[in-house]
């Protein structure tokens, strides 16, 4: 069973917005943070945004700061990623992860992630 389930991806024009949703559907082995990373074809994985599930502290990748916002609803075991002012370079498969929070950083746990949701931004 996939522990995290993403939704909300799709196709949008540059400048548009999308909201991704990640629901915890399985065991996350005591994870204390959740977030998103992305991977575009031919590129390495890139950190997008993370949030400490206990304290609500957030961190963002440099390329999305000021445009993306991560939030959580602990009662619903759900994390959201609001993406505004989207650019063609934001096109990627976005994957939700869970991990361990330490020193202001989220360290993803191996295997505790979803299957991803595709975001495509056209110019």
């Amino acid at each position: 069973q996939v522990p995290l389930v993403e939704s909300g991806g799709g196709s949008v024009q540059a400048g548009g917005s999308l909201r991704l949703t990640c629901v915890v559907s399985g065991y996350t082995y005591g994870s204390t943070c959740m977030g998103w990373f992305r991977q575009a074809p031919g590129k390495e994985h890139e950190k997008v945004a993370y949030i400490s599930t206990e304290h609500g502290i957030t961190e963002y990748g440099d390329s999305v700061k000021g445009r993306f916002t991560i939030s959580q609803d602990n009662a619903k075991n759900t994390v959201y990623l609001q993406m505004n002012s989207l650019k063609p370079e934001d096109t990627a498969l976005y994957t939700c992860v869970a991990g361990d929070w330490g020193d202001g950083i989220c360290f993803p746990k191996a295997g505790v992630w979803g299957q991803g949701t595709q975001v495509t931004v056209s110019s």
Side-chain angles (χ1 to χ4, degrees), residues 26-93:
Y27 192 53
T28 61
Y29 303 95
S31 294
T32 53
C33 60
M34 291 184 65
W36 301 85
F37 67 83
R38 67 187 183 187
Q39 187 173 27
K43 296 186 178 180
E44 295 185 354
H45 288 110
E46 177 186 8
K47 178 185 77 175
V48 178
Y50 291 115
I51 186 167
S52 162
T53 54
E54 180 178 3
H55 303 292
I57 301 170
T58 59
E59 59 168 321
Y60 296 91
D62 290 339
S63 62
V64 307
K65 286 180 180 177
R67 301 188 297 122
F68 291 10
T69 303
I70 189 170
S71 62
Q72 63 184 354
D73 185 336
N74 288 341
K76 296 182 179 180
N77 288 328
T78 300
V79 171
Y80 305 97
L81 183 68
Q82 179 65 43
M83 306 186 295
N84 298 328
S85 301
L86 283 161
K87 304 175 181 180
E89 50 264 44
D90 293 318
T91 295
L93 181 69

Side-chain angles (χ1 to χ4, degrees), residues 20 25-26 32 36 103 111 121:
L20 304 184
S25 62
T32 53
W36 301 85
D103 295 328
V121 185

